[in-house]
Amino acid sequence: MRFGVFILTIAVALAACAREPLRDNVTQENVKPIEATAGMVVYHHGYDNMDRGHHEYDNVDVVVDPTYYQANPVQRGDVVYYQNPKKGGATDNGSEKEISRIVALPGESIRIDKGQIYIDGRKLDTFYGQARRLGMNVQELQAASEKSGLPDNIRVNFKTNVKFILESEETSKQPIRIPDGQYYLIGDDWFRSADSRHFGTIPQESILGKVIGYKPYCFIITESSRCSAAASSV
């Protein structure tokens, strides 16, 4: 009898481990420049919480569609413009409104283990599914910290980032069930982001619109340049 229970337990555990990863085949990683049209909100985002290694959304005028969710559901992967609750002693850039990415939806369970997000026990296998710093995941940060000739301050910084991802309470939580009407969001640069790991879920009424791109303003265009945003807003 006990042997049978043991075998059943092992079988259940193996089945859980073999669960198909959760993927996102819709959300695009690249941020696109877009001109704001009538009714759009232009928000100057002067913070690097969404940096994936190329200064995405950092010090640019972000274009927001405030009516998008009147006709469309909030989806995983959406970058949203939201009212910042500033709860739980979270360190942020002092802005009353912020942008971040939706990673878990109402009714789901989210768990974060060593920087990897799991939704209802399934690995979130997408570009925003694991902790990143300066566009690098924990393995890439570890490899970067071991390069020869690296300045000591940069090496220490990379090692600190690795320790944060692997050991912080924020990256080793028990599963959290997302309440109805609530959403869990995390910035793309985990080390620089104050988000649901700090202040919890946010209600849909705090979501003020969907970020659809950034406002282009280029002095010169080359293969290596990137449009920056104008300092003014509409």
Side-chain angles (χ1 to χ4, degrees):
M1 181 66 177
R2 290 180 181 178
F3 181 76
V5 172
F6 175 77
I7 293 298
L8 179 61
T9 302
I10 294 297
V12 171
L14 289 174
C17 292
R19 293 193 66 185
E20 184 72 18
L22 181 62
R23 297 185 173 91
D24 180 347
N25 298 318
V26 176
T27 305
Q28 299 296 311
E29 183 171 0
N30 293 332
V31 181
K32 62 181 181 179
I34 188 169
E35 294 290 349
T37 58
M40 299 293 181
V41 171
V42 178
Y43 155 69
H44 187 77
H45 187 62
Y47 196 49
D48 58 354
N49 67 311
M50 295 297 293
D51 184 0
R52 293 195 306 279
H54 301 286
H55 306 291
E56 291 90 346
Y57 296 120
D58 182 9
N59 199 31
V60 300
D61 284 348
V62 174
V63 180
V64 178
D65 183 350
T67 64
Y68 183 85
Y69 292 119
Q70 294 177 11
N72 300 279
V74 179
Q75 300 279 5
R76 190 186 339 277
D78 287 358
V79 177
V80 297
Y81 180 55
Y82 69 97
Q83 187 72 40
N84 192 344
K86 297 183 179 179
K87 293 180 180 178
T91 301
D92 56 42
N93 67 335
S95 176
E96 293 183 1
K97 298 178 177 64
E98 264 293 354
I99 64 172
S100 197
R101 191 179 301 277
I102 300 291
V103 298
L105 306 173
E108 293 181 337
S109 173
I110 182 172
R111 179 173 66 88
I112 304 173
D113 184 13
K114 297 180 180 179
Q116 175 63 55
I117 297 174
Y118 294 86
I119 303 295
D120 292 336
R122 299 169 64 188
K123 177 182 178 181
L124 183 57
D125 186 13
T126 183
F127 70 88
Y128 57 84
Q130 59 181 232
R132 289 184 179 272
R133 171 66 174 141
L134 300 173
M136 294 181 283
N137 62 27
V138 65
Q139 293 83 11
E140 292 164 338
L141 283 166
Q142 184 66 54
S145 72
E146 296 170 355
K147 288 183 178 180
S148 61
L150 196 68
D152 288 343
N153 62 319
I154 301 298
R155 191 184 308 280
V156 170
N157 181 270
F158 285 163
K159 287 183 178 294
T160 299
N161 296 157
V162 170
K163 183 176 181 180
F164 166 81
I165 293 171
L166 296 180
E167 299 181 11
S168 172
E169 290 182 3
E170 296 168 359
T171 60
S172 59
K173 291 182 176 180
Q174 295 296 317
I176 296 174
R177 177 69 61 180
I178 311 302
D180 291 343
Q182 300 274 329
Y183 296 86
Y184 197 101
L185 41 80
I186 300 180
D188 286 350
D189 190 320
W190 289 32
F191 199 78
R192 296 288 294 165
S193 180
D195 46 48
S196 290
R197 296 169 299 152
H198 305 91
F199 51 67
T201 57
I202 63 169
Q204 181 150 1
E205 54 265 30
S206 291
I207 297 176
L208 307 176
K210 180 179 179 179
V211 174
I212 58 175
Y214 66 89
K215 185 178 176 183
Y217 183 74
C218 296
F219 293 101
I220 185 170
I221 300 178
T222 66
E223 287 186 358
S224 60
S225 70
R226 184 179 70 91
C227 288
S228 60
S232 61
S233 61
V234 295

